[in-house]
């Protein structure tokens, strides 16, 4: 009896299974969209789908790069073609194609603007100091995908002596600035903003991060590790994130373009130069020690109108705070930062 | 009354006991060390731009093995000229490196005029094929097509020597001098076991000889640091500031070989 029942039910179970499997694939593709971090995708090597360089690089980028979505074989090597339809519409295809119609299926621009990113880049500054010296950046190649931040292209005349300028040039547009988290358990000395706003930066105030692969590939296209075909050599998968365009600054009043500040980047950016991963830095990249080599000399009697005031900035601000606890430190900081308790690092360097 | 006296005595004893504790606590913290490398030795003013220095925890005794290795391997350093000379590079290639005190072709961009240099010309030819006839990309992205020994061989050689010298010694910090003040700044140095003067022993060395105008310089220096900043100028003589200073004449490139 049980055998008969099993035989009768078998076609029903198999039929349901056949119907269910594509439905599950389709469901995942539609509700979540494509994700590099999905376990089956993560198990593949990047080269399983991505070709480096893609054939369209001469027109899309101007330099050899991954400038296009992977081909159909990458998707349908695993996914069933029946999985592309939802309610009669080929929604699966819309991950890469902007339109699906008989006879035409134009691609979306790669990478898709506004789509969440799934990779971070790890740049070991410590390693690169040894190799670089005086290479100049060129800004005439199209930006790529992975690195989005942009400060501004450098004054190339002055960049000659700075290896950092290979990647970090002056910004052309003033970026949005945000206050980094205040650490060390410091408290605000006043709640309301005192009206000491951020300085009004002009061109050259900030520095840019490299955009796309062009800078990296200048040396890493092939030959030395990591070559352009080894995505994991530089990129690490992360949960999907929307990159912020805002840059974080404790001292929004430091102007890179100011004549007195045109020195070797290494004179001030000493913490990052010792770092393998700038994201892991717990303290500001530029320690206060770098500032007081010029600022903070002991001219305590100077007032703000005095031409020597800049030399006494640190001392004056600390003394001012001691006299008036609600005073906002404004020489270097906007009020978002300057109304917090003075950190121990500053007090230690007061003359 | 005796109870009050006892309480007073106990309070005073506690305060007296607490004072050294407070003093001890005040001495621990973070230190920084600014190493000034602009010194004149034997009439030569050293300009040590982008040169690496290492800082180790512990005194000279604790770093005795490291010091032995630094001294023992100093003679193995091959100069830039000597390295490229034995690789058989053209005079033009060596001159290009010398012109901006470059150690490798990554040092600066290869210009159109530089493409006449035999090594660059050969690489450019290969690059043009790879980069689909785009001359600007082929010129700027030329380094992958320069043969490995004359591309990053000198760097790899120095790195190998550095690995040998450092051995299992783990530096607390590795810092390069800047290109304007020629200073190396170490920061975030933990002062955890200061002596009664608030000082803690560290060990400073460049480990791999630094090449400058035909000579190689190696420093090995014990340094005492305290919470706050310490300035340290490299000594100009062996034995100054308890430092060891090794100065070597570097071989010169001649007829495809290196001669002293």
């Amino acid at each position: 009896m049980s055998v008969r029942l099993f035989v009768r039910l078998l076609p029903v179970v198999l039929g349901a299974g056949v119907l269910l499997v594509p439905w599950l694939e389709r469901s995942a593709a539609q509700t979540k969209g494509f994700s590099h971090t999905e376990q089956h995708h993560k198990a593949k090597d990047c080269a399983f789908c991505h070709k480096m360089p893609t054939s369209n690089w001469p027109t899309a980028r101007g330099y050899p790069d991954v400038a296009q979505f992977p081909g159909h074989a990458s998707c349908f090597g695993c996914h069933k073609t029946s999985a592309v339809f939802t309610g009669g519409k080929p929604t699966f295809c819309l991950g890469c194609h902007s339109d699906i119609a008989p006879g035409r299926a134009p691609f979306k621009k790669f990478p898709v603007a506004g789509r969440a990113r799934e990779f971070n880049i790890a740049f070991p500054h410590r390693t690169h100091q040894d190799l670089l010296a005086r290479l100049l950046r060129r800004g005439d190649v199209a930006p790529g995908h992975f690195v989005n931040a942009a400060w501004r292209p450098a004054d190339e005349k002055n960049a000659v002596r700075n290896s950092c300028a290979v990647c970090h040039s002056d910004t052309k547009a003033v970026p949005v600035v945000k206050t980094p988290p205040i650490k060390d358990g410091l408290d605000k000395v006043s709640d309301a903003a005192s009206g000491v706003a951020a300085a009004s930066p002009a061109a050259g105030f900030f520095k840019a991060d490299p955009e796309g692969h062009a800078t990296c590939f200048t040396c890493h296209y092939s030959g030395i590790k990591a070559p352009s075909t080894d995505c994991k050599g530089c990129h690490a998968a992360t949960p999907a994130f929307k990159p912020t365009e805002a840059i974080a600054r404790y001292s929004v009043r430091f102007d890179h373009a100011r004549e007195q500040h045109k020195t070797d980047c290494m004179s001030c950016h000493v913490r990052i130069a010792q770092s393998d991963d700038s994201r892991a830095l717990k303290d500001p990249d530029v320690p206060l020690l770098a500032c007081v080599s010029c600022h903070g000399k002991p001219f305590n009697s100077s007032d703000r109108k005095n031409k020597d005031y800049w030399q006494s900035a640190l001392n004056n601000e600390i003394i001012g705070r001691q006299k008036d606890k609600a005073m906002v430190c404004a020489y270097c900081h906007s009020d978002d930062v300057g109304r917090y308790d003075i950190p121990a690092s500053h007090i230690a360097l007061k003359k | 009354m005796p109870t009050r006296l006892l309480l007073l005595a106990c309070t005073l004893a506690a305060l007296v006991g607490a004072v050294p504790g407070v003093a001890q606590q005040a001495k621990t913290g973070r230190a920084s060390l600014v190493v000034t490398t602009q010194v004149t030795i034997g009439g030569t003013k050293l300009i040590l731009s982008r040169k690496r220095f290492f800082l180790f925890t512990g005194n000279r005794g604790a770093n005795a093995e490291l010091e032995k290795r630094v001294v023992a391997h100093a003679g193995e350093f091959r100069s830039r000229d000597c390295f490229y000379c034995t690789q058989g590079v053209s005079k033009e290639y060596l001159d290009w490196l010398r012109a901006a005190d470059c150690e490798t072709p990554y040092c600066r961009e290869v210009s159109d005029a530089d493409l006449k240099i035999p090594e660059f010309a050969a690489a450019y030819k290969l690059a043009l094929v790879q980069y689909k006839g785009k001359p600007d990309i082929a010129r700027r992205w030329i380094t992958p097509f320069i043969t490995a020994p004359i591309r990053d061989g000198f760097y790899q050689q120095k790195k190998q020597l550095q690995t040998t010298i450092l051995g299992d010694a783990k530096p607390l910090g590795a810092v390069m001098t800047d290109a304007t003040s020629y200073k190396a700044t170490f920061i975030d140095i933990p002062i955890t076991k200061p002596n009664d003067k608030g000082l803690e022993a560290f060990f400073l060395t460049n480990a791999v000889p630094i090449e400058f105008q035909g000579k190689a310089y190696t420093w090995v220096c014990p340094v005492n640091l305290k919470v706050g900043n310490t300035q340290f100028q490299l000594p100009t003589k062996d034995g100054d500031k308890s430092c060891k200073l090794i100065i070597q004449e570097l071989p010169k490139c001649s007829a495809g070989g290196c001669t002293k």
Side-chain angles (χ1 to χ4, degrees):
Chain A
M1 185 67 180
S2 59
V3 176
R4 280 184 189 171
L5 183 64
F6 176 77
V7 170
R8 284 178 185 173
L9 287 175
L10 187 61
V12 177
V13 171
L14 287 175
V18 166
L19 290 170
L20 193 62
V21 167
W23 180 83
L24 285 173
E25 288 174 356
R26 185 168 63 230
S27 172
Q30 287 160 4
T31 57
K32 294 179 184 172
F34 178 85
S35 171
H36 287 94
T37 54
E38 191 275 329
Q39 67 172 38
H40 292 98
H41 296 156
K42 209 159 61 174
K44 306 279 184 210
D45 189 78
C46 308
F48 183 84
C49 299
H50 290 286
K51 191 186 170 196
M52 169 62 211
T54 49
S55 59
N56 67 331
W57 72 258
T59 50
R61 292 278 190 277
Y63 63 90
D65 195 14
V66 178
Q68 185 57 284
F69 293 99
H72 282 142
S74 303
C75 307
F76 298 116
C78 301
H79 293 274
K80 294 180 187 307
T81 49
S82 58
V84 304
F85 291 97
T86 304
K89 291 182 180 176
T91 48
F92 181 92
C93 309
L94 296 174
C96 304
H97 297 279
S98 59
D99 186 21
I100 301 293
R104 64 188 181 90
F107 278 118
K108 289 181 175 171
K109 192 176 178 185
F110 180 86
V112 179
R115 186 176 282 181
R117 298 184 182 184
E118 297 177 306
F119 295 94
N120 260 334
I121 184 168
F123 181 85
H125 284 87
R126 182 159 53 179
T127 307
H128 286 81
Q129 285 181 81
D130 281 330
L131 280 169
L132 300 168
R134 294 176 180 85
L135 198 62
L136 288 178
R137 183 175 200 263
R138 291 287 296 265
D140 54 356
V141 286
H145 178 30
F146 288 102
V147 185
N148 71 314
W151 340 115
R152 35 179 146 162
D155 175 354
E156 302 238 323
K157 283 182 294 183
N158 292 299
V160 172
R161 63 172 175 247
N162 291 328
S163 64
C164 312
V166 175
C167 299
H168 302 287
S169 47
D170 290 355
T171 51
K172 283 178 180 164
V174 178
V176 176
V177 181
K178 69 173 184 182
T179 304
I182 305 293
K183 295 178 182 173
D184 302 330
L186 301 176
D187 293 323
K188 286 177 193 168
V189 295
S190 59
D191 284 331
S194 67
V196 181
S200 302
F205 197 95
F206 298 100
K207 295 288 176 183
D209 265 357
E211 295 177 11
H213 291 129
T215 309
C216 311
F217 289 174
T218 304
C219 301
H220 283 277
Y221 185 68
S222 63
I224 56 169
K225 290 180 181 176
S228 59
T229 48
D230 177 16
C231 310
K232 289 176 183 171
C234 301
H235 296 287
T238 64
F241 68 98
K242 289 277 175 96
T244 174
E245 297 296 324
I247 60 164
R249 283 286 183 282
Y250 286 104
S251 172
V252 79
R253 293 178 180 272
F254 181 90
D255 184 356
H256 280 94
R258 191 180 175 197
E259 194 56 39
Q260 295 92 327
H261 293 160
K262 287 180 180 172
T263 181
D264 184 4
C265 312
M266 291 282 293
S267 303
C268 300
H269 292 272
V270 293
R271 198 169 261 128
I272 202 164
Q274 301 170 38
S275 156
D276 277 333
D277 181 4
S278 54
R279 286 188 184 84
L281 289 179
K282 290 178 180 167
D283 293 301
D285 169 31
V286 177
L288 193 63
L289 178 67
C291 310
V292 296
S293 60
C294 298
H295 298 261
K297 289 181 181 173
F299 293 93
N300 288 328
S301 58
S302 301
D303 64 26
R304 283 172 186 270
K305 291 176 183 173
N306 190 308
K307 66 181 174 59
D308 292 326
Y309 174 76
W310 61 273
Q311 290 182 297
S312 62
L314 181 65
N315 286 348
N316 279 350
E317 300 287 78
I318 292 176
I319 291 165
R321 178 64 71 80
Q322 285 164 347
K323 287 178 184 169
D324 176 7
K325 206 170 183 312
M327 191 207 87
V328 172
C329 295
Y331 188 83
C332 303
H333 303 292
S334 65
D335 54 10
D336 284 345
V337 177
R339 59 192 164 127
Y340 274 83
D341 282 341
I342 299 173
S345 60
H346 289 43
I347 293 167
L349 287 164
K350 178 180 174 288
K351 296 280 183 182
Chain B
M1 191 66 175
T3 313
R4 284 184 183 174
L5 276 173
L6 189 65
L7 273 171
L8 186 64
C10 286
T11 310
L12 282 171
L15 282 171
V16 169
V19 168
V22 169
Q24 183 71 18
Q25 209 171 23
K27 288 175 190 170
T28 60
R30 291 200 288 184
S32 53
L33 169 68
V34 179
V35 182
T36 305
T37 67
Q38 207 168 12
V39 291
T40 302
I41 298 178
T44 305
K45 190 177 179 182
L46 301 189
I47 306 291
L48 306 186
S49 167
R50 298 290 159 89
K51 306 299 178 193
R52 194 176 283 279
F53 284 82
F54 300 89
L55 187 70
F56 296 85
T57 52
N59 59 16
R60 178 163 239 151
N63 290 285
E65 288 301 314
L66 171 65
E67 183 169 356
K68 272 186 200 170
R69 287 196 298 272
V70 171
V71 175
H73 292 283
E76 292 173 21
F77 175 73
R78 280 207 291 171
S79 67
R80 176 194 61 196
D81 284 15
C82 190
F83 174 85
Y84 285 104
C85 191
T86 51
Q87 294 295 328
V89 300
S90 66
K91 182 184 176 300
E92 292 90 338
Y93 189 72
L94 195 51
D95 285 345
W96 183 89
L97 291 166
R98 284 172 177 158
D101 196 23
C102 293
E103 294 188 347
T104 70
Y106 294 104
C107 177
R108 66 185 198 274
E109 189 168 307
V110 173
S111 69
D112 284 327
D114 297 332
L115 293 174
K116 291 173 189 164
I117 296 168
E119 286 78 2
F120 289 141
Y124 183 68
K125 202 172 163 183
L126 295 170
L128 273 177
V129 176
Q130 182 73 40
Y131 301 138
K132 298 190 175 179
K134 285 193 173 283
D136 196 43
I137 291 289
R139 178 181 57 78
R140 285 190 282 128
W141 294 19
I142 198 170
T143 52
F145 301 94
I146 300 171
T147 53
I150 63 165
R151 182 186 63 205
D152 55 341
F154 183 65
Y155 168 75
Q156 297 295 351
Q157 170 207 264
K158 274 178 75 173
K159 198 175 164 189
Q160 179 61 45
L161 182 58
Q162 179 185 300
T163 305
T164 304
I165 291 171
L166 295 187
D168 56 359
K170 296 273 179 275
L172 186 65
V175 173
M176 298 191 87
T177 54
D178 68 2
T180 48
S181 66
Y182 316 112
K183 289 177 180 172
T185 305
F186 293 88
I187 52 168
D188 304 333
I189 305 165
I191 302 292
T192 54
K193 295 170 190 167
N195 62 17
D196 53 1
K197 290 179 182 171
L199 298 168
E200 188 164 334
F202 291 86
F203 200 65
L204 176 76
T205 179
N206 53 304
V208 179
I210 294 172
E211 182 179 355
F212 187 77
Q213 291 186 358
K215 288 182 180 172
Y217 300 84
T218 311
W219 285 270
V220 180
C221 291
V223 286
N224 291 315
L225 305 179
K226 60 183 177 187
V227 172
N229 186 38
T230 301
Q231 301 273 342
F232 181 82
Q233 183 157 37
L234 289 176
T236 55
K237 286 180 187 168
D238 186 35
D240 274 4
K241 300 180 184 178
S242 304
C243 292
K244 191 177 278 297
L245 169 58
I246 305 166
I247 303 174
Q248 298 164 287
E249 287 283 341
L250 289 170
K252 289 186 171 62
C253 175
S254 172
C258 286
T259 53
K260 283 275 184 186

